[in-house]
Amino acid sequence: MHFASDNTAPVAPEIMAALAAANQGYATSYGDDQIMDRVRDQIRALFEAPNAAVYLVATGTAANALSLACHINPWQAVFCHRLSHAEVDECGAPEFFTNGAKLVVLDGENAKINPDNLRAALASIDATDPHVIQRGILTITQLTERGTAYSLNEIHALTTIARDDNMPSHLDGARFANALVHLGCTPAEMTWKSGIDVVSFGGTKNGLMGVEAVIMFNPDQAWEFELRRKRAGHLLSKHRFLSAQMGAYLTDNLWLDLAKRANDAAARLETALLSLPDTTLEFPRQGNMIFARFPRTAHRFAKAAGAEYDLYFGQSMQGPDHELLGARMVTSWSTSQRDIDGFVAILRG
Amino acid sequence: MHFASDNTAPVAPEIMAALAAANQGYATSYGDDQIMDRVRDQIRALFEAPNAAVYLVATGTAANALSLACHINPWQAVFCHRLSHAEVDECGAPEFFTNGAKLVVLDGENAKINPDNLRAALASIDATDPHVIQRGILTITQLTERGTAYSLNEIHALTTIARDDNMPSHLDGARFANALVHLGCTPAEMTWKSGIDVVSFGGTKNGLMGVEAVIMFNPDQAWEFELRRKRAGHLLSKHRFLSAQMGAYLTDNLWLDLAKRANDAAARLETALLSLPDTTLEFPRQGNMIFARFPRTAHRFAKAAGAEYDLYFGQSMQGPDHELLGARMVTSWSTSQRDIDGFVAILRG
Amino acid sequence: MHFASDNTAPVAPEIMAALAAANQGYATSYGDDQIMDRVRDQIRALFEAPNAAVYLVATGTAANALSLACHINPWQAVFCHRLSHAEVDECGAPEFFTNGAKLVVLDGENAKINPDNLRAALASIDATDPHVIQRGILTITQLTERGTAYSLNEIHALTTIARDDNMPSHLDGARFANALVHLGCTPAEMTWKSGIDVVSFGGTKNGLMGVEAVIMFNPDQAWEFELRRKRAGHLLSKHRFLSAQMGAYLTDNLWLDLAKRANDAAARLETALLSLPDTTLEFPRQGNMIFARFPRTAHRFAKAAGAEYDLYFGQSMQGPDHELLGARMVTSWSTSQRDIDGFVAILRG
Amino acid sequence: MHFASDNTAPVAPEIMAALAAANQGYATSYGDDQIMDRVRDQIRALFEAPNAAVYLVATGTAANALSLACHINPWQAVFCHRLSHAEVDECGAPEFFTNGAKLVVLDGENAKINPDNLRAALASIDATDPHVIQRGILTITQLTERGTAYSLNEIHALTTIARDDNMPSHLDGARFANALVHLGCTPAEMTWKSGIDVVSFGGTKNGLMGVEAVIMFNPDQAWEFELRRKRAGHLLSKHRFLSAQMGAYLTDNLWLDLAKRANDAAARLETALLSLPDTTLEFPRQGNMIFARFPRTAHRFAKAAGAEYDLYFGQSMQGPDHELLGARMVTSWSTSQRDIDGFVAILRG
């Protein structure tokens, strides 16, 4: 009953096999390996972006922070949702990598930035006034931190507002594949065709050991990225093992298959949860994350049985039995039907 | 004939097996995995340092820069050798992580800091003058960038000078194992017993896929390290795969065996090279790195045959046949006798 | 009719005289002048703080940013009001000087932080979680950016919350004197007796040419301040001219007299404004700032006559005559009755 | 007998008068004062640079650090002399303002960078290698820290080397006027006509209270400068008082007159010193700084009589009588003949 995070899941067997295969003989280090040449081509083809700059790093925080830093100056703003990973969960990595840019937090339902809020925030900035932080970059998360997905129209609306103020747009795709599978669109449609300029294309939460790609559709910042990556200690010497993971991930649609498994598991879990008394979803499920509320009694049963998932911030197991508490449950490619069934049976009491 | 770097070598099979073993089921993410608990104990025991703080990151640049940043302020100096990795090969990572500290470069034969130079540099700083950069930390590299090893006495002499000025000392141990095998001492002797406060304990160049440990014998900066690591994007979510590598590395003396193989290969290569006409070593070989000079003709043969190694900075294949050019050759745990024999045969012409 | 800012006012004649007097002969540079020795004593006596560290800089932004930087780490938060100068008007100086700390903005009526909001913000931070920005420092502004003053009780309530979480408290006193005159308390009461640890004690807006003192009641960060000040280019070589201004400012209660004049002028302006039809105050006037709303017609008269004051953000002179627009009017020690009378006569039409 | 520094001298009376004159009535704050409009025109005319961007700050460290930061990225190098103010006397301000750039120190006689050393340093950088700090900017000091002046040819030689590698060149002109008077050239000749792109045009050491101009001949970085200046707390609110100083400084050749007085005083001091037994100059005197060696006995006489000047680093008043010790003596516009005569009489014993 492992629903704490897709980060706790194992690595897909195809990826382990690719690592083993990449371990034959010698390879040029620091990103000049031949596997990377193929990965670059794979990603450019997949995203229909023949000129894109493509780099690999080992963590999502690095992918996000490097992407942002390559596109703004320290006196500029990063516009993000109040709940975004960059704002909440990276211990200030964007501020560190950008040398002190300001994150301007925006609200919006379902963890999605409301376009009116972005418009208002931008309008409040006087681009001729040296006393104020200047416009910088928009970043959105897909899936959001509450498991919802921006529609293509929603992405386009936000990036258009950004572009109208000459700002680029970044997409934090830690759960890119889960969102894509939900939307049923192409990678190009969910990114540059919707106005996205730079993507953190996540793999770690979807079955890799630890690889995220940064894809910049406009390669002007490519060299800056390489310098910032090295300077931040994020250029791996035995880079072939990042390349190998990403190469296998993109081969034979493995990445989509893994995401489908995770999303399907979440759908089944959702159905099962909604069959329980007093249980409701807090956000529409659109990928592999479920935010549900159910009575404290059920939580007690679950925790006693060793089920792994997160209570919401500030909630406590202490209190009246029937009070409803929110739970975040995340499925992964490896979530078993047995885990789902077992979990729901326990919640049922 | 792969002598470009120990970074180009494959991962040891025991490590690959450990990764596979670690991939069973679910594990808590972000460093709270059970394997890490064992690794911490292994390292504390190995270093005879029961209170040491122990962390893993994926690159040596991160290990070094985080170690330095945890011990100094931005207005302080890092005293390092002119040839040190921190000064030369990290694109300013120490400056980035420390928020702008100054690297004060010191000279010394065989890429080792001359104690007199350290003493003079420290003496030139007025600790009551706010106009000048203040004393910060000493960092030495073991093996050095020219393949030499500080003796225990040499380490102790430098750290004593640092300590007399209330400075901590860092050891960049990207090739820690190779140096240790050469010296035939214990990890404790090469570190805290010689006055070292914090170590980058390298594994990547010695058969791991990508793991370096940071060991702080005084754990006061432990929490700061955790925050800086996360903020720098160096806390891996699926951390168990770092832990598993390090765990296997330290099991059954694998780390020493791998280093011995590398050093032994270098010794055989050295002997063979010195049997060639007009060939001399530039630095004493004390680990797995050889710096030798031989005629351009021999280089031409070698390069034509596909041998991989680095010419020294600024040297060119263009020029008179008999001019002597310097070569850097690095062996690894996987260097084969066939590679050595083939290489020397080709050099012979 | 100069109500744009107290920054636009001239320097008080006593200050000009002090500058002339200080210009006799030679003086040790970089803060070691004899006048500074007296100023330090004056401030310590005035604040009843014999051990306080006292420094002078030329701008309020420097005073604030250096104060904050000396008390937090880059991974910590500065808790401030959404309207605070540090958040809104310093182009990210706090982020720059702190090497990327995060400003956590809090709401509260009358531009004063609501204690519940501070408490909630602090409670939301898990001090054992390296993924999140940690608690750092509280900063409040007195007078606030809307011209209101925290009562002593209000200051104490906020600093107590901060202290309960081991956080120091900073007071941005760009208009310290105006607030003090309003409250009728002592400098000690408005600062350390109310729990404030470090103060930006402003002089520039109250008749100086350009001097702000930083007063740290706990001198532990004194040396760090000196290094950060120099490193930021804020240690003036001919420092005696900062000292001389501050010395004269604190002599014979000049600083209080100047503030009284400004506050009194504001009180008279307030009375006159409230005698106009359709005119209301937006915030209680508690110092030398008035925020009033009156019809666009009156604004048109005023602007046509050359009156200087700021419309609120985003408001426009285009629009219906009778729509009420907000104006910020600031008086200073040099505001004349003629300016007030003339202004109100024009508004009257 | 005040030869410690031109920083210890008083402000010229014309400047004090200009401050008084500027103190009439109200003025727009934060650099938008009318005096600044005139100053900008004055400087553009003086430098024959009608498009130059011109800004004022209160310290030389700020002028230098902001100038450098506007022209390089954090992963780039500042090439400077080993003795330069930026390297030695600013507590790491360049590193702070540039967010961690590296100062590459170069040697050269008479505190002037040797062109061969610059060429070699640039040649050692591989502009395609992300592991190494990249080329950034050249900065030279005029007068140098040892009182010498680069000839126009020398400046041109260095800036040409820089330009050949696409690097801009900065001139730290803390003693710009003293050098110019020595060379007898125009400001344009000493700057952009010799390949300089950005200048710190000092005034403080030459009779101002505290003003340095930054002049960028290519105004592309003008807006960046304004933002960085504010962000660093270096935009003064009552900016008219910076403007007024600079305006008077440039009126009726005051700045040249003041420098001539200082240089002439130094020349007379030099002549007098060289008439003493056992006294030699260490560097050619080319402005208002003298570096001389004379016996410890004479130093003892001088110090006993209260003469103010600096011994060289590390030298001590303890020791044999006849040992020669180096002294740095700086004259200013206000150095009196009586001071010179008195000083030399005392040295004579």
Side-chain angles (χ1 to χ4, degrees):
Chain A
M1 297 177 298
H2 303 280
F3 305 111
S5 173
D6 28 15
N7 277 329
T8 65
V11 175
E14 295 87 344
I15 303 302
M16 297 303 287
L19 287 172
N23 198 37
Q24 304 310 310
Y26 292 78
T28 308
S29 50
Y30 294 118
D32 293 330
D33 52 288
Q34 293 182 325
I35 311 179
M36 184 61 202
D37 292 337
R38 290 201 301 275
V39 165
R40 199 177 293 111
D41 290 342
Q42 284 174 292
I43 287 185
R44 286 173 172 169
L46 181 66
F47 280 82
E48 306 167 46
N51 298 316
V54 178
Y55 297 105
L56 304 182
V57 293
T59 71
T61 295
N64 287 343
L66 286 168
S67 295
L68 297 174
C70 282
H71 289 85
I72 62 168
N73 284 309
W75 50 85
Q76 294 182 320
V78 176
F79 296 90
C80 61
H81 197 278
R82 182 180 302 279
L83 299 171
S84 65
H85 201 263
E87 167 68 9
V88 172
D89 287 315
E90 300 184 349
C91 197
E95 288 90 342
F96 177 48
F97 281 74
T98 61
N99 297 306
K102 187 184 284 289
L103 272 63
V104 174
V105 295
L106 303 173
D107 289 301
E109 271 192 290
N110 290 333
K112 296 192 269 189
I113 296 174
N114 181 310
D116 290 340
N117 292 343
L118 174 60
R119 217 175 272 115
L122 286 168
S124 77
I125 292 177
D126 179 351
T128 68
D129 180 359
H131 295 76
V132 305
I133 289 286
Q134 299 292 304
R135 294 166 190 138
I137 192 169
L138 167 70
T139 178
I140 63 175
T141 317
Q142 178 82 321
L143 295 185
T144 73
E145 284 72 16
R146 292 301 174 263
T148 55
Y150 288 92
S151 71
L152 297 190
N153 280 343
E154 286 172 332
I155 298 175
H156 194 262
L158 289 169
T159 63
T160 300
I161 295 168
R163 189 155 298 177
D164 286 349
D165 267 326
N166 296 310
M167 291 206 314
S169 294
H170 167 251
L171 188 143
D172 173 358
R175 295 189 179 90
F176 189 99
N178 304 95
L180 193 88
V181 162
H182 169 74
L183 292 180
C185 65
T186 69
E189 285 167 351
M190 200 166 88
T191 57
W192 64 267
K193 290 185 177 174
S194 295
I196 296 293
D197 297 281
V198 51
V199 180
S200 299
F201 177 67
T204 312
K205 291 180 195 291
N206 193 32
L208 300 191
M209 186 177 283
V211 185
E212 316 276 307
V214 171
I215 308 165
M216 297 185 283
F217 298 113
N218 177 339
D220 285 354
Q221 308 308 114
W223 177 231
E224 176 170 340
F225 188 95
E226 292 197 43
L227 290 158
R228 286 189 182 272
R229 178 177 59 168
K230 175 59 200 175
R231 183 172 174 83
H234 281 291
L235 175 56
L236 266 67
S237 57
K238 294 187 176 173
H239 185 280
R240 62 167 136 170
F241 298 105
L242 296 188
S243 310
Q245 292 180 63
M246 185 55 73
Y249 188 60
L250 298 180
T251 298
D252 295 337
N253 289 325
L254 174 62
W255 70 295
L256 295 173
D257 289 346
L258 294 171
K260 268 179 208 150
R261 281 189 247 172
N263 287 12
D264 289 350
R268 293 196 306 273
L269 177 57
E270 177 189 8
T271 303
L273 285 170
L274 291 178
S275 73
L276 298 178
D278 298 327
T279 299
T280 54
L281 287 200
E282 294 221 74
F283 299 95
R285 187 205 57 79
Q286 298 177 322
N288 64 325
M289 302 176 83
I290 293 178
F291 292 77
R293 294 177 74 81
F294 45 83
R296 187 176 273 110
T297 323
H299 284 283
R300 289 199 183 120
F301 291 147
K303 292 292 182 186
E308 292 169 0
Y309 62 90
D310 287 346
L311 277 194
Y312 280 7
F313 312 108
Q315 298 184 126
S316 163
M317 290 300 278
Q318 311 302 324
D321 284 5
H322 292 291
E323 195 178 356
L324 301 181
L325 300 183
R328 184 189 91 145
M329 291 153 290
V330 189
T331 58
S332 76
W333 70 273
S334 73
T335 301
S336 68
Q337 187 61 36
R338 200 177 137 200
D339 256 13
I340 295 172
D341 294 342
F343 183 52
V344 176
I346 283 163
L347 291 182
R348 209 177 289 272
Chain B
M1 299 177 299
H2 303 281
F3 305 111
S5 174
D6 26 17
N7 278 330
T8 65
V11 176
E14 295 87 344
I15 302 303
M16 297 303 286
L19 287 172
N23 197 36
Q24 305 309 311
Y26 292 77
T28 308
S29 50
Y30 293 118
D32 293 329
D33 52 288
Q34 294 182 325
I35 311 179
M36 184 62 203
D37 293 336
R38 291 200 301 275
V39 165
R40 201 177 293 112
D41 290 342
Q42 284 175 293
I43 287 185
R44 286 173 173 169
L46 181 67
F47 280 82
E48 306 166 46
N51 298 315
V54 178
Y55 297 104
L56 305 181
V57 292
T59 72
T61 295
N64 287 343
L66 285 168
S67 295
L68 297 174
C70 282
H71 289 85
I72 63 169
N73 284 309
W75 50 86
Q76 294 182 319
V78 176
F79 296 90
C80 61
H81 196 278
R82 183 181 301 280
L83 298 172
S84 65
H85 201 263
E87 167 69 7
V88 173
D89 286 316
E90 300 183 350
C91 196
E95 288 91 341
F96 177 47
F97 281 73
T98 62
N99 296 306
K102 187 184 283 290
L103 272 64
V104 175
V105 295
L106 303 172
D107 290 302
E109 272 192 289
N110 290 333
K112 294 191 270 189
I113 296 173
N114 182 310
D116 290 341
N117 292 342
L118 175 60
R119 216 176 272 113
L122 286 168
S124 76
I125 291 177
D126 179 351
T128 68
D129 179 359
H131 295 77
V132 305
I133 288 287
Q134 300 292 303
R135 294 164 191 139
I137 192 169
L138 168 70
T139 178
I140 63 175
T141 315
Q142 179 82 322
L143 296 182
T144 72
E145 284 72 17
R146 292 300 175 264
T148 56
Y150 287 92
S151 71
L152 296 189
N153 281 343
E154 287 172 332
I155 297 174
H156 194 261
L158 289 168
T159 63
T160 300
I161 295 167
R163 189 154 300 178
D164 285 350
D165 267 327
N166 297 310
M167 290 204 316
S169 295
H170 168 251
L171 189 143
D172 173 359
R175 293 187 179 93
F176 189 99
N178 304 95
L180 193 89
V181 162
H182 170 73
L183 291 180
C185 64
T186 69
E189 285 168 350
M190 200 166 90
T191 58
W192 66 267
K193 290 185 176 175
S194 295
I196 296 293
D197 298 281
V198 51
V199 180
S200 299
F201 177 68
T204 312
K205 291 180 194 291
N206 193 31
L208 300 192
M209 187 177 283
V211 186
E212 317 276 307
V214 171
I215 307 166
M216 296 185 284
F217 299 112
N218 178 339
D220 286 353
Q221 309 307 114
W223 177 230
E224 176 170 340
F225 187 95
E226 291 197 42
L227 290 157
R228 285 189 182 271
R229 178 177 58 170
K230 176 59 200 177
R231 183 172 172 83
H234 281 290
L235 175 55
L236 267 66
S237 56
K238 294 188 177 172
H239 185 281
R240 61 169 138 171
F241 298 105
L242 296 187
S243 309
Q245 292 181 63
M246 186 53 73
Y249 187 62
L250 299 179
T251 297
D252 295 336
N253 288 325
L254 174 62
W255 69 295
L256 296 173
D257 289 346
L258 294 171
K260 268 178 209 150
R261 282 189 247 172
N263 286 12
D264 288 351
R268 295 195 304 275
L269 176 58
E270 177 189 9
T271 303
L273 285 170
L274 291 177
S275 73
L276 299 177
D278 299 327
T279 300
T280 54
L281 287 201
E282 294 221 74
F283 300 96
R285 186 205 59 77
Q286 298 177 322
N288 64 326
M289 302 176 83
I290 293 178
F291 292 77
R293 294 177 74 81
F294 45 83
R296 187 176 274 110
T297 324
H299 284 283
R300 288 197 183 122
F301 292 148
K303 292 293 182 186
E308 292 168 2
Y309 62 90
D310 286 346
L311 276 194
Y312 280 8
F313 311 110
Q315 298 184 126
S316 163
M317 292 299 279
Q318 311 301 324
D321 284 4
H322 293 291
E323 195 178 358
L324 301 182
L325 300 184
R328 184 190 91 145
M329 290 154 290
V330 189
T331 58
S332 77
W333 69 274
S334 74
T335 301
S336 67
Q337 187 61 38
R338 199 178 138 200
D339 255 14
I340 296 172
D341 294 342
F343 182 54
V344 176
I346 284 162
L347 291 182
R348 209 177 289 272
Chain C
M1 297 177 299
H2 303 281
F3 304 111
S5 173
D6 27 17
N7 278 329
T8 66
V11 176
E14 295 88 344
I15 302 303
M16 296 303 286
L19 287 172
N23 197 36
Q24 304 309 311
Y26 293 77
T28 308
S29 50
Y30 293 117
D32 293 330
D33 52 289
Q34 294 181 323
I35 311 179
M36 185 61 203
D37 293 337
R38 290 201 301 274
V39 165
R40 201 177 292 110
D41 290 343
Q42 285 174 292
I43 287 185
R44 285 173 173 169
L46 182 66
F47 280 82
E48 307 166 45
N51 298 315
V54 178
Y55 297 105
L56 304 182
V57 293
T59 71
T61 295
N64 287 343
L66 285 168
S67 296
L68 298 174
C70 282
H71 289 85
I72 62 168
N73 283 308
W75 50 85
Q76 293 182 319
V78 175
F79 295 90
C80 61
H81 196 278
R82 182 181 302 280
L83 299 172
S84 65
H85 201 264
E87 167 68 8
V88 172
D89 286 316
E90 300 184 350
C91 196
E95 288 91 342
F96 177 47
F97 281 74
T98 62
N99 297 306
K102 186 184 284 288
L103 273 63
V104 174
V105 295
L106 303 172
D107 290 302
E109 271 193 290
N110 291 333
K112 296 192 270 190
I113 296 173
N114 182 309
D116 289 340
N117 291 343
L118 174 60
R119 216 175 274 114
L122 286 168
S124 76
I125 292 177
D126 179 351
T128 67
D129 179 359
H131 294 76
V132 305
I133 288 287
Q134 299 292 303
R135 294 165 191 139
I137 192 169
L138 168 69
T139 179
I140 63 175
T141 317
Q142 179 81 322
L143 296 184
T144 72
E145 284 72 16
R146 292 298 176 264
T148 56
Y150 286 92
S151 71
L152 298 189
N153 281 344
E154 286 172 332
I155 298 174
H156 194 261
L158 289 169
T159 63
T160 301
I161 295 168
R163 190 154 299 176
D164 286 349
D165 267 327
N166 296 310
M167 290 206 316
S169 294
H170 168 252
L171 189 144
D172 173 359
R175 295 189 178 93
F176 188 99
N178 304 94
L180 193 88
V181 163
H182 170 74
L183 292 180
C185 65
T186 68
E189 285 168 351
M190 201 166 88
T191 57
W192 64 268
K193 290 185 177 175
S194 295
I196 296 293
D197 299 281
V198 52
V199 180
S200 300
F201 177 66
T204 312
K205 292 181 194 292
N206 192 31
L208 299 191
M209 187 177 282
V211 185
E212 318 275 308
V214 171
I215 307 165
M216 296 185 282
F217 299 112
N218 177 339
D220 285 354
Q221 308 308 115
W223 178 231
E224 176 169 341
F225 188 95
E226 292 198 41
L227 290 157
R228 285 189 183 271
R229 178 177 59 169
K230 175 61 200 175
R231 183 173 174 83
H234 281 289
L235 176 56
L236 267 66
S237 57
K238 295 186 176 173
H239 185 280
R240 60 168 138 170
F241 298 105
L242 296 188
S243 310
Q245 293 180 62
M246 185 54 73
Y249 187 61
L250 298 180
T251 298
D252 295 336
N253 288 326
L254 175 62
W255 70 295
L256 295 173
D257 290 345
L258 294 170
K260 270 179 208 149
R261 282 188 246 171
N263 286 11
D264 289 351
R268 294 196 305 274
L269 177 57
E270 177 189 8
T271 304
L273 285 170
L274 291 178
S275 73
L276 298 177
D278 297 327
T279 300
T280 54
L281 288 200
E282 294 221 73
F283 300 95
R285 186 205 58 79
Q286 299 178 321
N288 64 326
M289 302 176 84
I290 292 178
F291 292 78
R293 294 176 74 81
F294 45 83
R296 187 177 273 111
T297 322
H299 285 282
R300 288 198 183 121
F301 291 147
K303 293 291 181 187
E308 292 169 1
Y309 63 90
D310 286 346
L311 276 194
Y312 280 8
F313 312 109
Q315 297 184 126
S316 164
M317 291 300 277
Q318 312 301 325
D321 284 3
H322 292 291
E323 195 178 357
L324 301 181
L325 301 184
R328 186 190 90 146
M329 289 154 290
V330 189
T331 59
S332 76
W333 69 274
S334 73
T335 301
S336 67
Q337 187 60 39
R338 199 177 138 201
D339 255 14
I340 295 172
D341 294 343
F343 183 52
V344 176
I346 284 163
L347 291 182
R348 210 177 287 272
Chain D
M1 298 177 299
H2 302 281
F3 304 111
S5 174
D6 28 15
N7 277 330
T8 65
V11 176
E14 296 87 343
I15 303 303
M16 296 303 286
L19 287 172
N23 198 35
Q24 304 311 310
Y26 292 78
T28 307
S29 51
Y30 293 117
D32 293 329
D33 52 287
Q34 293 181 325
I35 312 179
M36 184 61 204
D37 292 337
R38 290 200 301 274
V39 165
R40 200 177 294 110
D41 289 343
Q42 285 175 292
I43 288 185
R44 285 173 173 170
L46 181 67
F47 280 83
E48 307 167 45
N51 298 315
V54 178
Y55 297 104
L56 304 181
V57 293
T59 71
T61 295
N64 287 343
L66 285 169
S67 295
L68 297 175
C70 282
H71 289 85
I72 62 169
N73 284 308
W75 50 85
Q76 294 181 320
V78 176
F79 296 90
C80 60
H81 196 277
R82 183 180 301 279
L83 299 172
S84 65
H85 201 264
E87 167 68 8
V88 173
D89 287 314
E90 299 183 351
C91 196
E95 287 91 342
F96 177 47
F97 281 74
T98 62
N99 297 307
K102 187 185 284 290
L103 272 64
V104 175
V105 295
L106 303 173
D107 290 301
E109 272 193 290
N110 291 333
K112 295 192 269 189
I113 295 173
N114 181 310
D116 289 341
N117 293 342
L118 175 59
R119 215 176 273 114
L122 286 168
S124 77
I125 291 177
D126 179 351
T128 67
D129 179 358
H131 294 76
V132 305
I133 289 287
Q134 299 292 304
R135 294 165 190 139
I137 191 170
L138 167 70
T139 178
I140 63 174
T141 316
Q142 179 82 320
L143 296 183
T144 73
E145 285 72 17
R146 293 299 176 262
T148 55
Y150 288 93
S151 70
L152 296 189
N153 281 343
E154 286 172 332
I155 297 174
H156 194 261
L158 289 169
T159 63
T160 300
I161 296 167
R163 189 155 300 177
D164 285 350
D165 267 327
N166 296 311
M167 288 205 316
S169 294
H170 168 250
L171 188 143
D172 173 359
R175 295 187 178 93
F176 188 99
N178 304 94
L180 193 88
V181 163
H182 170 74
L183 292 180
C185 63
T186 68
E189 285 168 351
M190 201 166 89
T191 57
W192 65 267
K193 289 185 177 174
S194 295
I196 296 293
D197 298 281
V198 52
V199 180
S200 300
F201 177 67
T204 312
K205 291 179 193 293
N206 193 31
L208 300 192
M209 186 176 283
V211 186
E212 316 276 309
V214 171
I215 307 165
M216 296 185 283
F217 298 113
N218 177 339
D220 286 353
Q221 309 307 114
W223 178 230
E224 176 169 341
F225 188 94
E226 291 197 43
L227 291 157
R228 285 189 183 272
R229 177 177 59 169
K230 175 60 201 175
R231 184 172 173 83
H234 281 291
L235 175 56
L236 267 66
S237 56
K238 295 188 177 171
H239 185 280
R240 60 169 138 169
F241 298 106
L242 296 188
S243 309
Q245 293 181 63
M246 186 53 74
Y249 188 61
L250 298 180
T251 297
D252 295 336
N253 288 326
L254 175 62
W255 70 295
L256 295 173
D257 290 345
L258 294 171
K260 269 178 209 149
R261 283 189 247 172
N263 286 12
D264 289 351
R268 295 196 305 275
L269 177 58
E270 176 188 11
T271 303
L273 286 170
L274 292 177
S275 72
L276 299 176
D278 299 327
T279 299
T280 54
L281 288 200
E282 294 221 74
F283 299 96
R285 186 205 59 78
Q286 298 177 322
N288 65 325
M289 302 176 83
I290 293 179
F291 291 78
R293 294 176 74 80
F294 45 83
R296 187 177 273 109
T297 322
H299 284 283
R300 288 197 183 121
F301 292 147
K303 293 292 182 185
E308 291 168 1
Y309 63 90
D310 287 346
L311 277 193
Y312 280 8
F313 311 108
Q315 297 183 126
S316 162
M317 291 300 279
Q318 312 301 323
D321 284 3
H322 292 291
E323 195 178 355
L324 301 181
L325 300 185
R328 185 190 91 145
M329 290 153 292
V330 189
T331 58
S332 76
W333 69 273
S334 73
T335 300
S336 67
Q337 186 61 37
R338 199 177 139 199
D339 255 14
I340 295 172
D341 293 343
F343 183 52
V344 176
I346 284 163
L347 292 182
R348 209 177 289 271

